[in-house]
Amino acid sequence: MDLSWDAIASKMVWSGRFPVLVDRIRSREDGREYDYTYLGITGGAVCVLALDEMDQAICVRQYRHPSGQVLLELPAGHLEPDELPASCAHREFEEETGLRLGSLRSLGSFMPVPALSRFRMHMFLGSELSEGVSDLDDTEILEVIRVPIEELREQVINDQHDNAGLTYTVLLASQRGLLPQ
């Protein structure tokens, strides 16, 4: 059975912060067609789980309009064109927290909502922090907080966070034995 579909036509129906595309797609299996709507987000983003010398995770709290909530998140941000994920992780972490990463380890990447976009989130584990310079975007108002990693891990396990980048990164780092017990 061939489960693939081919795009036979494509159009952008909205050009904004996140372009909206509609592709006419055809099944290779039986030839049926339909219009598939998705976000045309290119590139990706990074999130960084960084621990200080007291095993506290550096987190940010910020308002997210679609959810109407202030969420606890890992420092994160979008890749610039042609920027490598590790470079982006260093840049975004310092911009959001005012701290520099001395050590950075890739944990891999994932697609948060593959039915909606090709967008990839690259996860990193950071340490060896030093003072840097904060440089928030005009659209960012956030609070930097430190959460003991044991407490953050328990919050994730007890389903207290909605942010996929935070939950997946904490669980993955924990499962791989990269976090202090």
Side-chain angles (χ1 to χ4, degrees):
M1 175 181 277
D2 190 343
L3 300 176
S4 299
W5 294 68
D6 295 311
I8 56 176
S10 184
K11 65 181 174 182
M12 185 181 303
V13 295
W14 174 258
S15 177
R17 180 175 178 213
F18 302 115
V20 177
L21 302 172
V22 176
D23 286 358
R24 185 72 180 173
I25 61 175
R26 178 182 299 135
S27 166
R28 290 183 186 172
E29 180 65 23
D30 61 14
R32 78 179 93 170
E33 295 181 9
Y34 77 97
D35 290 334
Y36 194 98
T37 304
Y38 62 99
L39 297 175
I41 302 171
T42 58
V46 301
C47 63
V48 180
L49 172 58
L51 302 180
D52 67 13
E53 66 284 347
M54 299 193 52
D55 293 332
Q56 296 180 103
I58 309 301
C59 298
V60 296
R61 292 181 65 241
Q62 63 182 320
Y63 176 75
R64 293 298 188 186
H65 187 69
S67 70
Q69 298 176 326
V70 174
L71 299 176
L72 183 73
E73 302 178 348
L74 297 177
H78 288 270
L79 289 157
E80 298 292 340
D82 300 322
E83 186 177 31
L84 296 174
S87 298
C88 180
H90 280 283
R91 177 181 56 77
E92 284 288 347
F93 187 81
E94 182 173 359
E95 286 176 0
E96 290 194 357
T97 68
L99 298 168
R100 287 193 182 107
L101 296 163
S103 176
L104 188 68
R105 177 180 183 162
S106 174
L107 298 175
S109 66
F110 69 100
M111 288 191 290
V113 188
L116 187 58
S117 82
R118 293 177 223 155
F119 176 85
R120 291 199 78 79
M121 176 66 77
H122 301 269
M123 302 167 292
F124 291 90
L125 181 63
S127 61
E128 300 174 19
L129 307 180
S130 62
E131 289 300 316
V133 178
S134 176
D135 185 22
L136 297 177
D137 294 338
D138 292 341
T139 59
E140 291 177 315
I141 301 173
L142 55 84
E143 176 186 23
V144 178
I145 64 169
R146 294 173 190 241
V147 181
I149 191 59
E150 309 86 30
E151 184 179 316
L152 185 60
R153 183 177 22 227
E154 285 302 312
Q155 291 171 357
V156 167
I157 289 169
N158 291 318
D159 196 27
Q160 295 177 15
H161 296 292
D162 291 328
N163 183 286
L166 182 145
T167 57
Y168 189 43
T169 304
V170 169
L171 289 174
L172 188 61
S174 181
Q175 183 63 30
R176 291 183 181 172
L178 301 175
L179 300 180
Q181 297 300 320

